[in-house]
Amino acid sequence: MAGIAAAVASYFLFFSKESVEPGPYADNPKCADVISRAPETVLSKHRDDVTGEGVASWGDGSVVLRCGVTPLRPTTNLCVDVNSVDWVLDEKRANKDGVQVLTTYGRTPAVEITVEGDGPKAGDALVDVNRAVRSIPQKSKCLSLSDTL
């Protein structure tokens, strides 16, 4: 019986980490800063123990942050400013499977956050992680149609 308990404990101790695919530029030193500043809770979900450089997740992977993703080019997708951080919604993915994928705009390295379920709460997740992301300088901003006329 003690052997079974020890085996189960060692499994959770050594093998229970979730793996998250890092972004192609996750080795950027700014990503280490983002991950170190990432909060312990997002949407009231506790931070998971994950492997992968430049990544964090909460709530058993229901919210995932990846730093070092490919920066976005100009787009017509919805862009929102959340406390001075511009985020672009991947509208195609949201319409396809309901998963909210938002990527910073105008910051290098770019940061992506994925929120599964509770789609309307994706904005709240952005508020939770913004402090960590603001450490990356913003070089360009989203523009509205009125900014271009």
Side-chain angles (χ1 to χ4, degrees):
M1 185 73 152
I4 294 172
V8 169
S10 66
Y11 171 82
F12 284 107
L13 184 62
F14 296 109
F15 299 109
S16 65
K17 290 184 179 182
E18 293 189 40
S19 179
V20 175
E21 180 79 22
Y25 310 105
D27 60 348
N28 185 308
K30 292 176 185 170
C31 285
D33 290 341
V34 168
I35 298 306
S36 71
R37 294 172 192 252
E40 286 303 312
T41 59
V42 170
L43 297 176
S44 300
K45 298 171 193 243
H46 293 286
R47 192 165 171 172
D48 302 324
D49 191 12
V50 295
T51 60
E53 190 171 19
V55 298
S57 77
W58 297 264
D60 296 324
S62 62
V63 178
V64 175
L65 180 145
R66 297 186 325 135
C67 182
V69 298
T70 302
L72 295 175
R73 298 181 51 81
T75 179
T76 57
N77 281 340
L78 175 67
C79 182
V80 294
D81 177 312
V82 179
N83 298 330
S84 300
V85 176
D86 288 346
W87 293 92
V88 175
L89 173 67
D90 182 340
E91 294 179 31
K92 187 175 182 182
R93 176 102 188 257
N95 291 332
K96 177 182 167 196
D97 58 17
V99 175
Q100 306 286 309
V101 180
L102 295 115
T103 306
T104 56
Y105 186 80
R107 295 173 192 266
T108 303
V111 176
E112 171 190 276
I113 189 163
T114 303
V115 180
E116 293 184 4
D118 295 339
K121 293 187 178 180
D124 293 336
L126 298 179
V127 170
D128 291 343
V129 301
N130 262 2
R131 187 179 69 82
V133 173
R134 273 186 277 189
S135 64
I136 300 173
Q138 185 160 355
K139 298 181 192 261
S140 59
K141 296 186 76 54
C142 290
L143 300 175
S144 68
L145 183 59
S146 64
D147 292 330
T148 61
L149 297 177

